[in-house]
Amino acid sequence: MEERPETELISIPATPRASTPEILTSSGQRSPRGTHTSKNAKSWTPNSFISPRFLSPIGTPMKRVLVNMKGYLEEVGHLTKLNPQDAWLPITESRNGNAHYAAFHNLNAGIGFQALVLPVAFSFLGWSWGIISLTIAYLWQLYTLWILVQLHEAVPGKRYNRYVELAQAAFGERLGVWLALFPTVYLSAGTATALILVGGETMKLFFQIVCGPLCSSNPLTTVEWYLVFTSLCIVLSQLPNLNSIAGLSLVGAVTAITYATMAWVLSVSQPRPPSISYEPISLPTYTASLFSVLNAMGIIAFTFRGHNLVLEIQATMPSTFKHPAHVPSWKGAKVAYFFIAMCLFPIAIGGFWAYGNLMPSGGMLSALYAFHLHDIPRGLLAMTFLLVVFNCLSSFQIYSMPAFDSFEAGYTSRTNRPCSIWVRSGFRIFFGFVSFFIGVALPFLSSLAGLLGGLTLPVTFAYPCFMWVLIKKPTKYSFNWYFNWILGWLGVAFSLAFSIGGIWSMVNNGLKLRFFKPS
């Protein structure tokens, strides 16, 4: 697919601006400091002719316009080439993002229901390997996150607004699509479907807790709760673009931090079960134990999903030569992942301390429901479940946005015009109900955290390292060169191993993560 470069529209400031230091000549005319014989004279640039000396014979209005344009071009430093479709698509339609929006979006994408099953992984790994694996995974993904932020504008004048675009730049047009398209689509669509399952089941439990014995004799079935949750997701998905859901991402981030904290605090504050043990769960055969450990490590890998959205989040920000987008993007990401660490490590360590290898396969909320249903005030327990629902509604929006973007890109490329509000709504209704029907037909999708982690692990841990070597081209056989190649191939190897462990666990019923279902 050939790239069709387009120059960004230039908004000219309303007041005169001269960013180059200037002095007055003996005749009173303003001219750039220094002359062509100066040692510090700058080389010629395309806008060098737009100098005040050159403009002196021109009428005042035209002179003002061109001087303003000169100042703008000096601030921008280069003109970014864009696909003309970008102004019509949800991810790049609005370019007024900032570091706060980046923090909200990264938090919303980085914390979610997957954090609640981390203690399940610890029950197979034990204290030492559980903490070591979680720490290594956190530091590894933080490094690859930094790589993606830096590679967003790796080529001057070009912004890679989507993960697949960067993969094409690194691996080639065809190979990049083959390598990146499936895991990113699988991660976005699979996560959206899992969120419907998790959100619907949690709504059902919330209703049972709040209603109690007053519930009607014919309550809604689980599938009907899925439909209710899907309908709410579709209503919220009508917000037009990624920047417009910043408020929802803030709600998702706050609710995720709150319920994750509540889950481990409530668990630690209650008496531990009498038969608790911290020895890793032992299975009858060595092969079964090995695959269960691989699946547990896949759960940890799946916890750090969200890197498929980093470039898209950064694409919502303005970028100039003096103020590149990677600066606010990295600031927001650092804040987000600080809070992510403050949630993931306590919930993994606190949850395993509270329940040990008695941890239900559904994770922390299942443990609260199973062990402390009558110990914790009903209102507090209901609030925890309600926060999970709000977080799932918010997370659905940001994980569905790449799918909405793909639908609209296909439409605009065929029709050469932006989507109308009805076409846009139709795509989003279609995606919501397709996710619903997949979830109903394959309800075990929410059980495949390990398999999801294995299949999508290269997006987070492997591909960014390869992209850095292929695009930045560090000195061959240098530390940087070896380091990224080794990390990349380790990520590929772990992906294969964790995927095999996830498939084995699914087939042998060893670890079915039916989220939030009481044991």
Side-chain angles (χ1 to χ4, degrees):
M1 183 173 63
E2 295 184 357
E3 175 185 318
R4 295 178 295 174
E6 176 87 352
T7 302
E8 282 188 325
L9 295 177
I10 300 177
S11 175
I12 301 177
T15 58
R17 175 175 190 163
S19 57
T20 303
E22 295 178 331
I23 60 173
L24 290 177
T25 65
S26 57
S27 62
Q29 298 291 332
R30 300 173 68 192
S31 64
R33 185 184 301 275
T35 65
H36 64 281
T37 59
S38 171
K39 293 181 180 180
N40 298 325
K42 295 182 179 178
S43 60
W44 183 88
T45 59
N47 61 343
S48 295
F49 73 92
I50 312 178
S51 66
R53 183 183 296 248
F54 174 81
L55 294 174
S56 58
I58 302 181
T60 302
M62 181 61 71
K63 175 180 177 179
R64 183 175 299 154
V65 169
L66 293 180
V67 169
N68 289 340
M69 182 178 292
K70 175 180 181 288
Y72 181 85
L73 292 176
E74 287 175 347
E75 179 179 347
V76 172
H78 63 268
L79 295 178
T80 302
K81 298 176 182 179
L82 295 174
N83 187 319
Q85 284 182 281
D86 281 346
W88 300 338
L89 301 179
I91 288 174
T92 49
E93 185 178 65
S94 173
R95 298 269 190 177
N96 62 351
N98 53 45
H100 297 91
Y101 286 13
F104 301 159
H105 289 316
N106 279 295
L107 268 170
N108 190 27
I111 307 178
F113 65 89
Q114 77 283 358
L116 298 172
V117 297
L118 276 176
V120 179
F122 272 50
S123 66
F124 286 89
L125 297 173
W127 278 120
S128 299
W129 285 110
I131 294 175
I132 291 172
S133 300
L134 184 59
T135 303
I136 291 175
Y138 178 80
L139 296 176
W140 189 346
Q141 62 84 35
L142 197 62
Y143 171 67
T144 56
L145 178 74
W146 176 83
I147 286 178
L148 291 174
V149 170
Q150 298 299 316
L151 291 182
H152 179 85
E153 293 176 280
V155 178
K158 170 68 177 176
R159 296 184 71 174
Y160 298 110
N161 297 315
R162 295 160 184 86
Y163 197 100
V164 176
E165 292 178 12
L166 184 60
Q168 288 179 303
F171 304 121
E173 294 288 331
R174 292 188 178 181
L175 183 60
V177 171
W178 281 104
L179 290 176
L181 188 61
F182 170 74
T184 53
V185 169
Y186 183 68
L187 186 57
S188 293
T191 302
T193 302
L195 286 167
I196 290 177
L197 302 179
V198 174
E201 292 171 359
T202 309
M203 288 182 75
K204 180 181 178 181
L205 290 178
F206 170 76
F207 181 76
Q208 292 175 350
I209 293 171
V210 172
C211 189
L214 302 177
C215 291
S216 61
S217 57
N218 295 314
L220 294 179
T221 64
T222 302
V223 173
E224 290 171 337
W225 281 113
Y226 292 163
L227 183 59
V228 171
F229 184 84
T230 303
S231 301
L232 293 175
C233 289
I234 290 173
V235 171
L236 292 175
S237 70
Q238 301 310 310
L239 293 170
N241 54 60
L242 190 55
N243 268 340
S244 67
I245 66 169
L248 284 177
S249 290
L250 175 59
V251 172
V254 172
T255 54
I257 293 172
T258 305
Y259 77 66
T261 303
M262 290 178 65
W264 72 263
V265 168
L266 290 175
S267 298
V268 170
S269 62
Q270 299 297 320
R272 288 180 290 176
S275 57
I276 190 173
S277 172
Y278 298 112
E279 291 296 323
I281 296 176
S282 59
L283 296 177
T285 64
Y286 174 80
T287 303
S289 298
L290 175 63
F291 283 137
S292 65
V293 167
L294 291 176
N295 186 69
M297 296 178 73
I299 294 173
I300 293 177
F302 181 59
T303 302
F304 295 107
R305 85 231 196 286
H307 284 44
N308 62 311
L309 297 169
V310 172
L311 295 172
E312 286 80 351
I313 293 170
Q314 193 167 338
T316 65
M317 301 178 183
S319 185
T320 67
F321 183 74
K322 289 187 177 179
H323 305 286
H326 71 82
V327 176
S329 179
W330 181 236
K331 285 182 180 178
K334 285 191 294 185
V335 172
Y337 276 84
F338 170 78
F339 283 104
I340 289 172
M342 293 300 99
C343 290
L344 297 185
F345 283 89
I347 204 170
I349 296 172
F352 187 56
W353 180 87
Y355 306 108
N357 57 19
L358 298 178
M359 171 64 65
S361 60
M364 290 292 287
L365 292 191
S366 288
L368 286 173
Y369 195 95
F371 292 104
H372 305 300
L373 179 61
H374 304 293
D375 301 328
I376 299 174
R378 193 170 65 178
L380 198 58
L381 196 60
M383 182 185 297
T384 306
F385 281 78
L386 184 61
L387 291 173
V388 173
V389 174
F390 287 155
N391 174 254
C392 290
L393 286 171
S394 302
S395 296
F396 182 91
Q397 309 309 317
I398 193 168
Y399 271 97
S400 301
M401 198 59 71
F404 300 157
D405 189 81
S406 297
F407 288 148
E408 295 186 31
Y411 176 86
T412 55
S413 63
R414 290 176 180 272
T415 62
N416 199 28
R417 63 183 181 186
C419 293
S420 67
I421 188 173
W422 300 110
V423 173
R424 176 171 281 183
S425 298
F427 282 142
R428 300 181 182 203
I429 292 171
F430 171 77
F431 177 79
F433 281 109
V434 165
S435 300
F436 164 76
F437 286 120
I438 292 175
V440 172
L442 304 172
F444 56 84
L445 275 178
S446 63
S447 306
L448 304 183
L451 181 58
L452 283 169
L455 292 176
T456 59
L457 184 145
V459 172
T460 302
F461 295 95
Y463 291 164
C465 299
F466 294 143
M467 292 172 181
W468 181 264
V469 174
L470 296 174
I471 294 177
K472 288 294 188 178
K473 301 186 185 319
T475 304
K476 200 171 184 180
Y477 307 123
S478 64
F479 173 79
N480 195 354
W481 189 87
Y482 275 117
F483 184 70
N484 284 285
W485 276 117
I486 291 173
L487 279 186
W489 285 114
L490 277 177
V492 172
F494 285 148
S495 174
L496 294 173
F498 297 167
S499 299
I500 293 172
I503 294 172
W504 178 90
S505 295
M506 180 187 68
V507 172
N508 291 274
N509 242 355
L511 183 60
K512 290 217 172 189
L513 303 179
R514 300 190 181 279
F515 295 102
F516 311 151
K517 288 185 178 180
S519 299

